[in-house]
Amino acid sequence: MPAAFADAPLLLDVRHLSVDYVSRGQPAAHAVDDVSFVLREGEILGLVGESGCGKTTLMLSLMRLLPSAGRIVAGRVDLLGRDLLSLSEKEIADVRWKEMAMIFQGAMNALNPVRTIGDQISEVIVRHNIAGNKAVLDGRISELLELVGIPANRKDQYPHQYSGGMRQRAMIAMALACAPLIVIADEPTTALDVMIQAQILELLLTLRQKLGLAVILVTHDLGVVAEICDSVLVMYGGVTAEYASVNTIYNNPQHPYTQQLLDAFPDLSNPSDRLTSIPGYPPRLDALPPGCRFAPRCSVAFERCHHEQPPLYQLSQFHLASCHRVESE
Amino acid sequence: MNQSTLLEVRNLRKLFPLKKAGFWEAGDKHVHAVDGVSFELNRGEVLALVGESGCGKSTLALTLMGLETISQGSIVFDGQDITHLKGPALRTMRQHIQMVFQDPYESLNPLMTIGQLVAEPLVVHRLVRSKAERADRVHRCLEDAGLKPAEAFVNRFPHELSGGQRQRVVIAGALVLEPTILLADEPVSMLDVSIRAEILSLLADLRVKRGISILFITHDLGTAAYFADRVAVMYLGRIVEIGPTREVLANPAHPYARALLSVIPVPNPRQRRERLILRGDPPDPIDLPPGCRFHPRCPIAQAVCREQDPVLQDVSRGHQSACLLQT
Amino acid sequence: MTVQIKVTSIGGFWETFRHSGIGVVGLIMVVIAMGLAVFAPWIAPYNPKTPVRVSIEDIYARPSSEHWLGTDDAGKDVLSNFIFGARVSLTVGFFASFISIVIGGMIGIVAGFYGGKIENLLMRLTDIMLVIPDLPLAVVLVALTKPSLLNIIFVIGILGWTGTARLVRSQTLSVKERKFVLRARAIGAGNLYIIRRHILPLVLPLMVANTVLVISLAILNESTLSFLGLSDPTTLSWGQMLNFAFTRGGMSAGAWWALVTPGFGIVWVVLGCTLLGHGLEQILNPRLEAHHLSVGAEMVARPTGPDGGWAREGEST
C-alpha cells in the first residue's frame, strides 16, 4: 500500500470474487477467478489487461449489473463494511450511483441526441430523488458542470454541440450527480486524442483532490496508469497476474506478463529501447489452459507452469504476483 | 527536388465547401481541412504525420491517394506531376501508393476470403495471367506480412481472424502491388497494446526489405518516435513543425509540439513531470483565427501572434518550425 | 472459392431461419402453392382445357363427390380451375416481381452509389411513381396494350419497383460508407467493380427478402386486373375465376364456392409470401441485426453471455 493511502479509510474490500458465464449446453466460462483488491478513500486504482481479460466483467459485478448469463459464484464485496452481494435488488439500486457510480465504455457516444445535456444529468438526479424543487435541481446541474470544467450556460445544449472531450466531461458530471464515494471509469480516454486524454486525466486528479473521490480506472493503456494511478491490478485471463503499488509495478515487476506488457509500451523517455510484443492471443475463457493461464505465451515458462496454476504469492507488504518463478527465487 | 526525393507535396490545400445554413445565407464558407501543406518524402524513409483528430491528416492522406480532389497545390511523385491525374492514369498511379487503414475490423469485406481480399488489387489492375501466378503472389505477400503458413489463411474469412491478423491482411493486400509508398493511417490505434509492436516492427521490416517509403499518420507521438525518421506535427490543416525525430523530440521548437510531447504518457511513475495541458479544443476549421492559428490556445502567445501568420523557418539543419517567437 | 462463401453463409442462414416461426410457416405455405402449380396436371381431377358437354344442371352445380368444389358458369370443375389457376397467378407473380426487383435494384444502387444529381433525379422519379395510384395507371396501360399475359406481367413489373428502389438505395448508402469500399478505391478499383464485388453482395440478401414481398403484391395486382376483366380471357387465373363468377351470375346463383375458392388461393399465397418475406427480412436486414461482423470467437476470449455487445471490451481501442 502506498504510504499516503495506508491510513486512509477503507472504502471497498473485494475478496476472492469469482464470476462465471453460463449458457445452455456449454461449460461455464470463468470470466473472473478469485480476484481480491481493496480501495481506500482518495485512491486511484488502475485495472489493466488486454481485451477480454475480465476487467469489465469484474467492474460490472461490483455494481451487480452483470448480464443475465453472468453469475457471481464466490467471494465478498464489502463497501464500508456492508456486503453488497447480500443486498436485495432494491438496496443495491440505492448503492449504485449514490455510493458507487460507473462511466461505461463508449457511453459518451451513446448520449441521447435529442435531449439537452442538462436534461440528461437531471434525469440521474431525479431518478435517485435527491434534489427537491426545480431551482435546487438547476443549481445542482450547474454546479456539476462547473465541477467538470464545462461552463454552466452550456447545459441547454445538445450532445452534438459538444466536442468529444466535453461529452466525456458530461459523462463524468453524470457519474458525480449523486456524490458517490467511488467512480468506476471504464476506458474513459480510449477514443480521445492525447491532449483531450490529458485534460480528462487531470480532471480526475482534481476531483480526487476536491472530493476525496476514489477511482477505479479500467484501461489497457499503461501510460495512463503510470500518470495518475496509485496502485495497479494487472489481470490476465480472469485472474490476478500482479497487484502492487504503481512504483513497484513499473520498477520491479515480477510477473512475466507485466514485464512483457511494459516492454510493449513505447517509452519516450527511453526511445532507443526496441518495442516487443507478446506473441499469441489471450486464452478463451471457456477453454483455459490447464496450468498458468499465461504459460502458452510466456517466454520463461517451465514444465510446472503448464500443469499447475500458480497461487498468488505475497512478495512484500503490498506486492502480490501469481507466478511460479516468484516462489523459486 | 533532389535525387532521393520520392514524393513532393507543395502548398497543398483542400477546402470543403460548407452547405448553406439557410436560404439567404451566402454559401462562401469553407472547411479548411488541409490549408497549405508542403513536405517531401524520401526514398526508404518513414515520415510520421502527427496531430489531433480534425487537424486534416486523414484528409491529406486521401488527397495523396487521389481519393479526394485537390483545391490548390501540387503533388509530384518520382518527378511526375500527379496532381490532376484522372481515369486510367490515376489508376496506374495508385499501384505505386497504397494505403493501410485504421480499422482492420471495417476495412475488409466480410464476405470475401483472405485469399480473395489480398488478390483483389491484382484482379482490379489485371496484373496476373494465370491462377497459379496469382496464388503465388498472394502466398508470398501473406507470408511477408507475417501470416505463416499462408495456406492456413487463404480460405478463411476476416471474422475468423484477430485484429492484429486482420491488419496483417490489409498490409498484405497493400503489398501485393509492390508499391513504393505506403500510407499508414493510424494502423495500430485500434489494436491492443500487446500486439501494436509487432505490427509496427512488420512495417519497419518492410521498409528495410523492400525499400518502401512510409507515411505514418498518427495522433500518438509516442509510437511515431519509435519508428519514424522524421516527424511532422500538424495543427489545423498546417504543418507547424517538421524535422528529424530525435531533433524534434529533444528540442521541440513550436509550443504546440512541446505541449503534445509533454502529455504523452510515460510508463514510468518516477518521471511524472510537468505537463503542458492545452485548454479547450482546437478551433473550428471554418472560421480560422486571424494571425497564428495556434494563438488562442498558445501558452506563450504575444500581441504579434494575433496579427501575423507565421511560416516555417529553419530551427536547425532539416528542422523547421512555424512560430513567430522562436529564437 | 465463391462456392465456399455461399455454403458457409447459407448453412448459418438456414440455422437461424429454422428458429423463426413465421418464416417457416410462410415457407411451407409458399411451397404448397408452388407444388400445386407445378404438379397441376397430376393433381387436378379434370383438365380445364378439355371441352365438356354442359347441361343446365352442370352450371354452378353445388359441391358433390364428382366436383368437390362444385362447378363454374361453364360447368367446369372449380377445384381443377383453382389448381391450374395457381400456375398463372404464380407465373405472373414471379416474373413481374423479377422485373420490379431488377428495375428497383438498379435504380436504388445507382442512386445510392453515385449520389448527387443522379440520386436526386432517380429518387424524384421514384417519388412520382409512388404517388401515382397504381391501379388506375395499370388499368390504363393494360387497356392501351393488348390484354395478354405478357403485357400484364410487364405492366405490373414496371409499376412495382418503387419500394425496392428506396430500400436498396438506403442500404447502398450505408454499405458505401463502409471502410472496405474506401479500401477498394484506394486499390484503384473502378465504380462498376466496387458495385459488383462490394455493394451488390451486401445488398443482395435484402433484395431477396424484398422479392418475396413484391411477389405477393404482384399476385394481388394480377388478381385485381383480372377481376376487372383486363386480362387475357383465355388464360385461367384466380382473378379471372373471380371475374367470371362475379360477372356471369355466380352471385345471384348463390354459388359461393366459385368466389371463395379463388379468393382463398389469393389470400393463401399473399399471406405465405408476406410471412416468408418478414421471416427473411428479420435475418437479412442489417438494420434489424448486425451479426456476421462480430469478432472471431476462437481468437478473442469473450464471455458467452447472450449480450455479445458489451463483451467486446477494449476492441475499440
Side-chain angles (χ1 to χ4, degrees):
Chain A
M1 184 66 34
F5 293 97
D7 316 320
L10 192 67
L11 288 181
L12 189 70
D13 187 0
V14 177
R15 295 232 182 119
H16 308 294
L17 191 68
S18 297
V19 182
D20 281 2
Y21 281 103
V22 288
S23 62
R24 262 178 296 139
Q26 283 170 7
H30 307 295
V32 174
D33 194 2
D34 195 19
V35 172
S36 307
F37 66 88
V38 294
L39 190 68
R40 288 168 194 273
E41 198 178 290
E43 181 180 349
I44 300 183
L45 169 71
L47 185 57
V48 181
E50 281 169 281
S51 306
C53 74
K55 48 194 199 297
T56 300
T57 302
L58 177 62
M59 290 303 108
L60 289 173
S61 60
L62 297 186
M63 299 281 285
R64 289 204 16 216
L65 283 172
L66 283 172
S68 58
R71 304 266 184 284
I72 298 173
V73 288
R76 278 177 72 87
V77 178
D78 284 347
L79 179 66
L80 293 170
R82 206 155 47 130
D83 184 9
L84 294 186
L85 301 185
S86 61
L87 295 185
S88 72
E89 199 49 49
K90 204 163 171 264
E91 289 167 317
I92 190 81
D94 222 35
V95 171
R96 282 179 211 144
W97 244 262
K98 281 191 188 170
E99 285 163 48
M100 191 156 52
M102 186 156 174
I103 303 163
F104 293 94
Q105 183 182 3
M108 56 181 264
N109 297 321
L111 284 162
N112 186 340
V114 296
R115 294 178 58 194
T116 64
I117 296 285
D119 196 21
Q120 295 187 52
I121 296 176
S122 80
E123 190 184 9
V124 180
I125 303 174
V126 171
R127 184 175 293 169
H128 293 90
N129 46 45
I130 292 168
N133 57 38
K134 180 101 176 59
V136 178
L137 184 65
D138 277 351
R140 177 75 182 139
I141 293 169
S142 304
E143 187 191 338
L144 282 167
L145 287 177
E146 298 278 3
L147 192 63
V148 297
I150 299 176
N153 59 14
R154 295 193 66 171
K155 69 168 186 266
D156 293 326
Q157 289 187 331
Y158 292 89
H160 73 267
Q161 291 165 297
Y162 275 42
S163 67
M166 282 180 71
R167 283 203 293 271
Q168 190 60 283
R169 285 169 190 270
M171 292 311 301
I172 295 173
M174 228 174 265
L176 296 176
C178 307
L181 304 164
I182 299 170
V183 168
I184 300 171
D186 193 355
E187 303 274 5
T189 60
T190 294
L192 301 172
D193 274 323
V194 271
M195 193 58 74
I196 310 295
Q197 175 175 315
Q199 289 175 359
I200 297 290
L201 295 181
E202 192 196 31
L203 172 64
L204 287 177
L205 286 173
T206 321
L207 290 174
R208 182 252 292 268
Q209 207 170 26
K210 270 193 200 160
L211 310 171
L213 198 66
V215 179
I216 302 179
L217 190 70
V218 181
T219 181
H220 71 277
D221 190 337
L222 284 164
V224 168
V225 171
E227 290 290 338
I228 74 163
C229 291
D230 305 305
S231 47
V232 185
L233 176 65
V234 182
M235 279 183 80
Y236 185 81
V239 295
T240 306
E242 194 158 2
Y243 179 37
S245 74
V246 73
N247 269 317
T248 317
I249 286 285
Y250 285 90
N251 297 313
N252 184 24
Q254 288 303 314
H255 198 284
Y257 179 61
T258 317
Q259 293 165 355
Q260 282 180 269
L261 213 51
L262 282 169
D263 288 341
F265 200 83
D267 180 359
L268 267 191
S269 60
N270 194 6
S272 54
D273 269 11
R274 197 165 159 77
L275 282 185
T276 54
S277 52
I278 309 176
Y281 305 94
R284 287 181 64 173
L285 293 175
D286 53 354
L288 291 169
C292 170
R293 295 177 185 193
F294 186 58
R297 298 173 75 188
C298 184
S299 56
V300 292
F302 53 97
E303 194 57 29
R304 190 173 164 201
C305 302
H306 294 284
H307 306 300
E308 192 187 328
Q309 194 177 328
L312 207 53
Y313 294 104
Q314 179 123 29
L315 298 173
S316 65
Q317 200 202 344
F318 181 55
H319 189 180
L320 298 158
S322 65
C323 179
H324 288 307
R325 286 170 68 252
V326 169
E327 189 204 37
S328 53
E329 271 164 22
Chain B
M1 191 171 197
N2 63 43
Q3 200 62 60
S4 67
T5 306
L6 186 59
L7 185 77
E8 188 181 15
V9 174
R10 279 284 153 259
N11 202 24
L12 191 74
R13 267 173 223 274
K14 174 65 191 172
L15 311 179
F16 292 101
L18 207 61
K19 278 195 183 150
K20 290 185 193 180
F23 187 76
W24 298 109
E25 250 170 77
D28 59 352
K29 285 194 170 177
H30 289 85
V31 178
H32 300 250
V34 179
D35 200 7
V37 166
S38 305
F39 66 88
E40 280 150 25
L41 181 65
N42 298 325
R43 282 177 210 279
E45 181 191 42
V46 178
L47 174 64
L49 207 55
V50 183
E52 289 173 271
S53 55
C55 75
K57 55 192 197 297
S58 293
T59 310
L60 178 62
L62 294 180
T63 54
L64 293 181
M65 291 296 297
L67 295 172
E68 289 282 0
T69 55
I70 293 156
S71 309
Q72 211 184 326
S74 68
I75 304 171
V76 177
F77 171 78
D78 209 4
Q80 184 199 355
D81 190 327
I82 60 163
T83 320
H84 301 291
L85 284 189
K86 280 198 180 68
L90 175 64
R91 293 232 246 139
T92 318
M93 189 54 236
R94 283 197 187 139
Q95 295 179 29
H96 301 297
I97 308 181
Q98 284 292 302
M99 193 159 173
V100 174
F101 296 91
Q102 179 177 15
D103 185 349
Y105 297 95
E106 258 289 301
S107 54
L108 296 174
N109 187 334
L111 300 179
M112 288 166 80
T113 63
I114 303 308
Q116 287 173 320
L117 286 162
V118 177
E120 195 174 20
L122 297 175
V123 176
V124 166
H125 291 283
R126 300 193 181 85
L127 283 179
V128 283
R129 299 227 160 66
S130 67
K131 275 195 174 161
E133 191 192 345
R134 185 167 79 192
D136 184 53
R137 285 180 75 165
V138 167
H139 193 278
R140 222 165 349 126
C141 286
L142 279 172
E143 302 223 324
D144 273 3
L147 293 171
K148 289 176 195 168
E151 302 83 44
F153 291 93
V154 281
N155 288 324
R156 297 175 83 176
F157 288 91
H159 71 261
E160 298 173 273
L161 306 188
S162 70
Q165 287 173 329
R166 287 187 210 203
Q167 197 59 292
R168 286 171 186 275
V169 172
V170 177
I171 292 171
L175 288 182
V176 82
L177 290 175
E178 289 165 6
T180 36
I181 298 178
L182 206 57
L183 298 184
D185 188 1
E186 305 263 13
V188 296
S189 69
M190 302 287 261
L191 303 173
D192 254 321
V193 174
S194 61
I195 50 172
R196 282 184 190 180
E198 49 180 83
I199 297 294
L200 290 177
S201 52
L202 167 65
L203 291 173
D205 285 351
L206 289 175
R207 186 253 293 251
V208 175
K209 274 191 204 150
R210 298 191 171 212
I212 295 178
S213 311
I214 299 175
L215 187 63
F216 180 67
I217 297 165
T218 180
H219 71 272
D220 183 2
L221 202 46
T223 8
Y226 261 83
F227 112 113
D229 303 312
R230 286 193 301 146
V231 177
V233 179
M234 267 185 95
Y235 186 76
L236 272 185
R238 287 245 179 111
I239 290 178
V240 294
E241 180 152 0
I242 183 166
T245 309
R246 273 173 190 280
E247 179 64 25
V248 172
L249 293 186
N251 302 309
H254 197 279
Y256 178 66
R258 278 205 288 272
L260 261 192
L261 199 60
S262 80
V263 296
I264 292 168
V266 170
N268 190 345
R270 284 191 188 150
Q271 292 193 357
R272 280 185 197 174
R273 66 223 178 280
E274 193 61 35
R275 290 183 294 171
L276 287 166
I277 299 178
L278 300 174
R279 302 292 131 202
D281 301 307
D284 173 9
I286 301 162
D287 296 308
L288 291 169
C292 172
R293 52 191 67 194
F294 183 60
H295 86 256
R297 295 174 81 196
C298 184
I300 54 166
Q302 308 281 317
V304 61
C305 302
R306 255 160 249 140
E307 286 145 23
Q308 226 174 307
D309 195 2
V311 289
L312 282 173
Q313 282 173 326
D314 281 347
V315 179
S316 61
R317 197 180 145 76
H319 181 189
Q320 296 172 304
S321 149
C323 179
L324 295 167
L325 305 173
Q326 75 199 24
T327 42
Chain C
M1 269 191 221
T2 331
V3 180
Q4 261 186 352
I5 303 175
K6 281 179 181 155
V7 171
T8 41
S9 54
I10 284 179
F13 165 77
W14 176 243
E15 220 15 68
T16 329
F17 183 77
R18 275 195 321 151
H19 297 289
S20 95
I22 60 162
V24 175
V25 170
L27 180 69
I28 292 171
M29 289 172 78
V30 172
V31 166
I32 289 176
M34 280 166 60
L36 220 56
V38 171
F39 299 108
W42 295 277
I43 301 170
Y46 303 90
N47 184 348
K49 294 270 194 235
T50 40
V52 282
R53 281 168 166 273
V54 188
S55 64
I56 194 79
E57 297 88 59
D58 290 339
I59 290 171
Y60 291 127
R62 297 193 149 273
S64 61
S65 57
E66 217 170 313
H67 300 286
W68 289 3
L69 289 172
T71 60
D72 66 1
D73 61 291
K76 290 194 174 169
D77 185 45
V78 170
L79 180 62
S80 304
N81 285 358
F82 171 75
I83 292 170
F84 274 91
R87 291 187 147 190
V88 177
S89 291
L90 288 178
T91 307
V92 173
F94 283 126
F95 284 101
S97 65
F98 181 73
I99 295 174
S100 296
I101 291 293
V102 169
I103 298 176
M106 265 169 27
I107 289 185
I109 287 182
V110 168
F113 187 76
Y114 289 96
K117 284 198 178 112
I118 298 175
E119 179 181 20
N120 237 327
L121 191 77
L122 290 175
M123 284 297 113
R124 292 303 79 77
L125 179 73
T126 311
D127 288 344
I128 291 168
M129 290 299 284
L130 207 61
V131 291
I132 296 178
D134 277 1
L135 190 61
L137 187 61
V139 168
V140 171
L141 284 175
V142 173
L144 284 176
T145 56
K146 212 173 104 239
S148 74
L149 195 61
L150 213 61
N151 285 340
I152 292 252
I153 289 175
F154 188 67
V155 167
I156 293 173
I158 61 165
L159 287 179
W161 55 266
T162 47
T164 311
R166 292 170 71 101
L167 188 78
V168 169
R169 172 184 157 265
S170 65
Q171 175 69 1
T172 306
L173 282 177
S174 76
V175 175
K176 184 176 78 164
E177 293 305 320
R178 300 275 294 271
K179 281 287 181 299
F180 56 78
V181 174
L182 187 66
R183 174 178 174 267
R185 279 193 193 289
I187 282 168
N191 286 336
L192 282 180
Y193 176 88
I194 291 175
I195 289 179
R196 195 161 49 86
R197 288 311 304 265
H198 294 283
I199 307 277
L200 197 59
L202 274 100
V203 174
L204 206 58
L206 204 63
M207 280 165 73
V208 170
N210 188 245
T211 309
V212 188
L213 297 175
V214 174
I215 289 176
S216 69
L217 278 178
I219 289 176
L220 212 55
N221 277 337
E222 188 275 336
S223 307
T224 314
L225 289 175
S226 300
F227 178 75
L228 293 173
L230 287 162
S231 71
D232 181 355
T234 60
T235 57
L236 185 72
S237 74
W238 291 334
Q240 189 81 302
M241 286 171 73
L242 277 176
N243 175 26
F244 285 171
F246 198 73
T247 55
R248 299 184 186 177
M251 291 289 269
S252 49
W256 52 266
W257 53 88
L259 286 158
V260 169
T261 309
F264 172 77
I266 294 164
V267 170
W268 177 271
V269 173
V270 170
L271 186 65
C273 286
T274 311
L275 293 181
L276 177 61
H278 281 301
L280 289 175
E281 202 166 43
Q282 253 164 18
I283 304 169
L284 299 174
N285 193 334
R287 252 172 291 164
L288 299 176
E289 199 190 18
H291 51 103
H292 56 259
L293 292 175
S294 45
V295 184
E298 55 268 52
M299 292 301 175
V300 181
R302 63 202 300 216
T304 48
D307 176 6
W310 67 268
R312 292 177 58 184
E313 59 174 33
E315 285 299 341
S316 59
T317 51

